[in-house]
Amino acid sequence: MKMSTARHMLALLKSHMHGNDQEFLSVAMQVAAHEARLGHGKIAQQIRDLIDQARARAKSVIRPGPFLVAEVRGELANLLSVDCPETRLSDMTLASALLVRLNRVITEHRQQHRLREHHLQPRRKLLLVGPPGTGKTLTAAALAGELHLPLLTILLEGLITKYLGDTATKLRIIFDAMTTTPGVYFFDEFDAIGAKRTSTHDVGEIRRVLNSFLQFVENDKSLGIIIAATNHPELLDRALFRRFDDVLEYHLPDSTTALAIIQRRLVNFQTGDFNWQEITAELEGLSQADVARAADDAAKHAILNHTDCIQSTDLIAALHERRTGTTIR
C-alpha cells in the first residue's frame, strides 16, 4: 500500500511540474479510489469534492474575460486584454519556411513534457518583425488557438505612464501573472518599450522599462509563451534579440501567396471568369491584410447585389483602392 501511495505521489509531482492539469486530476482520482478501497471513505469523498471544484473552476476560465483577470490580480484588468481565439495556423496563408518554424513551436509545446524529462525547454519567447498587416498579430492568436491557451495582449496605454518607476512596477505585475496564468502574452508595438537605450530621444523612464524587461524576460521560467511584435526592428535595442528563442521575419506577400489569400477568402463565390493577370498587377505593395480586406470588399459588393458571382473588375477595383486610396470602379 505504501508503494502505491509513493507511486501516486510521484505521478502527482510529475504532472504538476509539467503543467498537465488533466493528468494531475486523473491521478488524484486514483488516489481517491485507493483511499476508498482502504476504507477511508471520508478522505476519499473529500478528495473527490476537491477534484470536482478544480474541474468546475477550470471550466469557468475556458473563455476568460477582463473580469476574471481582475479577480486574480486587480491591477491586471488595466494591463491586459484577454481573449480565447479560435484562429488556427490553417486559417493563415504564410511562407512555407515561416510555417515550418511556427509548427515547430506548437509541436514543442504539445510535447513539452518529453522535452522537460531531458532537461530541455520548448521555445517560449518569440520576436515577430515585419511590415504592418503581414500576420504578426494573427500569428499570436493562431498560436493561442492551436495550444488552447488564452491570448493576453498587453495594453500599452495601461502599462506606460509618466510616473517615475510606475511602468517597471506594472511590467513586474505582468511577469508575475505569467507564473500563475499560463497563456500567450502578446506585446504588440514592442518598440514602444524596447527602443535602443542610446536613442537621442530616449528618456530615463523608458531606459528603466527596457532594463526591467530585459531582466524579467531573462529570468522568466513560466509555462506560457511570450510574443513581442514590431514593425520597426531597427529601433529595438540589440540586447533584446538574444533574449528571444526565435526571431521570425514577416514580409509582404509575393504574388503566389497573395493569390492564395484571395482564393481562400472567395472560396464560396464564383470566380471562374477572373482575369488573374490583371489582378496580379494590382497586388504590388499590398500586405496580407490588405489583400484579404480587398477580397472581402469584393465579396460584400457581390452579396449586396444579390449574386454569388464576383466580377474580376470588382476585385481589381477593391485591390486598387487598397493600394492607392482611390477606386477605379
Side-chain angles (χ1 to χ4, degrees):
M1 296 301 179
K2 290 183 179 179
M3 181 60 72
S4 178
T5 302
R7 288 197 182 105
H8 285 142
M9 183 61 71
L10 285 172
L12 286 169
L13 288 172
K14 285 182 179 179
S15 59
H16 173 70
M17 290 171 61
H18 296 155
N20 191 332
D21 292 340
Q22 290 302 318
E23 183 180 346
F24 184 92
L25 294 177
S26 177
V27 175
M29 187 61 77
Q30 294 173 29
V31 173
H34 176 66
E35 292 298 324
R37 286 194 297 271
L38 292 178
H40 303 156
K42 186 175 181 179
I43 292 177
Q45 188 57 49
Q46 288 177 337
I47 294 173
R48 291 192 191 99
D49 289 344
L50 288 172
I51 291 171
D52 289 342
Q53 292 175 29
R55 285 177 172 162
R57 182 175 181 275
K59 289 180 181 178
S60 72
V61 296
I62 288 177
R63 292 187 174 274
F67 62 94
L68 287 175
V69 174
E71 287 177 5
V72 178
R73 293 184 186 273
E75 183 68 19
L76 281 177
N78 299 318
L79 299 176
L80 298 174
S81 171
V82 190
D83 189 21
C84 279
E86 297 182 0
T87 308
R88 299 292 186 270
L89 282 184
S90 59
D91 298 325
M92 304 179 65
T93 304
L94 297 169
S96 57
L98 184 56
L99 190 59
V100 166
R101 297 180 72 182
L102 291 172
N103 274 313
R104 182 172 60 186
V105 173
I106 293 169
T107 300
E108 289 187 4
H109 276 268
R110 286 176 175 167
Q111 302 186 47
Q112 60 180 285
H113 62 283
R114 297 180 61 188
L115 297 177
R116 295 183 190 281
E117 286 174 356
H118 294 275
H119 309 290
L120 296 170
Q121 304 293 324
R123 287 170 169 79
R124 294 186 42 253
K125 303 165 187 177
L126 309 176
L127 176 60
L128 315 183
V129 302
T134 50
K136 300 185 296 298
T137 300
L138 196 57
T139 294
L143 289 178
E146 293 280 2
L147 297 171
H148 304 290
L149 291 171
L151 175 63
L152 302 105
T153 301
I154 284 71
L155 301 174
L156 291 179
E157 64 270 24
L159 175 63
I160 299 177
T161 74
K162 62 183 180 181
Y163 299 107
L164 186 66
D166 202 21
T167 302
T169 298
K170 292 183 177 183
L171 198 57
R172 176 183 292 278
I173 292 173
I174 293 172
F175 274 87
D176 285 345
M178 294 179 190
T179 64
T180 58
T181 308
V184 174
Y185 287 78
F186 183 46
F187 290 82
D188 200 5
E189 300 180 18
F190 185 56
D191 42 283
I193 62 175
K196 297 175 183 177
R197 286 170 286 189
T198 56
S199 171
T200 55
H201 300 291
D202 195 10
V203 295
E205 172 68 355
I206 295 301
R207 281 200 300 271
R208 279 185 287 274
V209 171
L210 174 57
N211 288 334
S212 295
F213 183 90
L214 289 170
Q215 180 182 356
F216 293 147
V217 78
E218 180 78 19
N219 296 329
D220 175 67
K221 299 293 187 280
S222 66
L223 296 176
I225 297 177
I226 300 171
I227 299 180
T230 179
N231 303 332
H232 304 286
E234 72 281 358
L235 299 180
L236 297 184
D237 193 280
R238 300 308 302 176
L240 282 166
F241 287 85
R242 63 176 180 270
R243 283 354 190 253
F244 290 92
D245 300 319
D246 273 344
V247 178
L248 305 179
E249 295 188 22
Y250 290 70
H251 303 281
L252 294 177
D254 58 21
S255 59
T256 301
T257 302
L259 292 175
I261 293 172
I262 292 172
Q263 290 169 343
R264 178 191 290 272
R265 304 294 285 200
L266 301 181
V267 67
N268 294 320
F269 294 85
Q270 296 182 35
T271 59
D273 294 332
F274 270 11
N275 185 329
W276 292 107
Q277 185 174 358
E278 289 187 16
I279 290 171
T280 301
E282 290 291 343
L283 296 173
E284 184 178 356
L286 293 180
S287 69
Q288 286 89 332
D290 290 330
V291 174
R293 288 168 183 150
D296 288 349
D297 287 343
K300 288 186 283 187
H301 186 265
I303 291 169
L304 295 176
N305 282 277
H306 307 286
T307 179
D308 63 354
C309 180
I310 296 180
Q311 300 297 318
S312 185
T313 52
D314 290 334
L315 178 58
I316 291 170
L319 290 167
H320 185 84
E321 184 174 354
R322 291 287 172 182
R323 189 164 61 84
T324 66
T326 59
T327 182
I328 58 174
R329 183 180 287 124

